Amino acid sequence: MGKSICAVTLLGLVLCGVLLTSVYAGNDYLWGEVGPNDYKLAKDTVSKAFFVGLVQTKKFIYEQKNNLNALTVTAVKVTDKKKNHGATCELVAGGPGSKGVTLKFTSERGYGIKDVVEIWGR
C-alpha cells in the first residue's frame, strides 16, 4: 500500500510540474541554428502596450544597409518576456539563409507585447 501511494504522489507532482511549465512558459521561438562562428547582428526589444479588449499587433523589420557586404542570417531567436499571456510571433519574410527578417507579433486580447529579438548571422 505504501508503494502505490508514493507512486501516485510522485505521478501527481510530475503532472503538476508539466501543467505549471505549460501555463507559465512564454512563447519563445528559434528559427535556424546559432553556430560557433556566427555574429549577433541585432538585438532589439519589441513592445506595445495593452489596450483593454483589443488584440495588439506589431511588425519588426531587420534590414542590412550595405547589401553588397550584407551577412547571411543564420538564426532568429525570439524570447518572450511575459511569462503569462505572451504574444505569438510569426516569421513573415526572410530569416535563415536570407539577408533580412520580418516578424509579426500578435498579443492575446487585452494584453500587450514584450519580446526580445536576436538575429545571428555570418
Side-chain angles (χ1 to χ4, degrees):
M1 179 89 175
K3 287 183 181 180
S4 65
I5 291 174
C6 184
V8 169
T9 304
L10 181 60
L11 180 62
L13 289 173
V14 169
L15 287 175
C16 285
V18 169
L19 289 174
L20 284 175
T21 55
S22 65
V23 169
Y24 291 107
N27 295 323
D28 296 341
Y29 299 91
L30 177 64
W31 291 279
E33 185 175 328
V34 179
N37 297 325
D38 292 350
Y39 299 99
K40 189 183 291 188
L41 303 178
K43 182 177 180 178
D44 201 3
T45 300
V46 177
S47 60
K48 191 166 185 180
F50 76 94
F51 198 83
V52 178
L54 294 181
V55 173
Q56 300 288 44
T57 60
K58 187 155 187 180
K59 193 178 272 190
F60 172 85
I61 298 173
Y62 169 75
E63 296 176 327
Q64 297 181 60
K65 295 188 183 210
N66 188 355
N67 285 335
L68 295 176
N69 294 326
L71 299 173
T72 301
V73 174
T74 57
V76 178
K77 182 179 179 184
V78 177
T79 305
D80 188 4
K81 291 301 182 181
K82 299 179 95 168
K83 295 306 175 191
N84 291 328
H85 306 286
T88 59
C89 182
E90 178 183 356
L91 181 62
V92 177
S98 67
K99 305 292 183 187
V101 177
T102 303
L103 301 171
K104 180 183 175 188
F105 293 87
T106 306
S107 74
E108 289 184 22
R109 185 169 305 280
Y111 292 92
I113 299 169
K114 186 163 184 177
D115 291 79
V116 174
V117 177
E118 294 177 275
I119 299 175
W120 297 81
R122 62 176 153 212

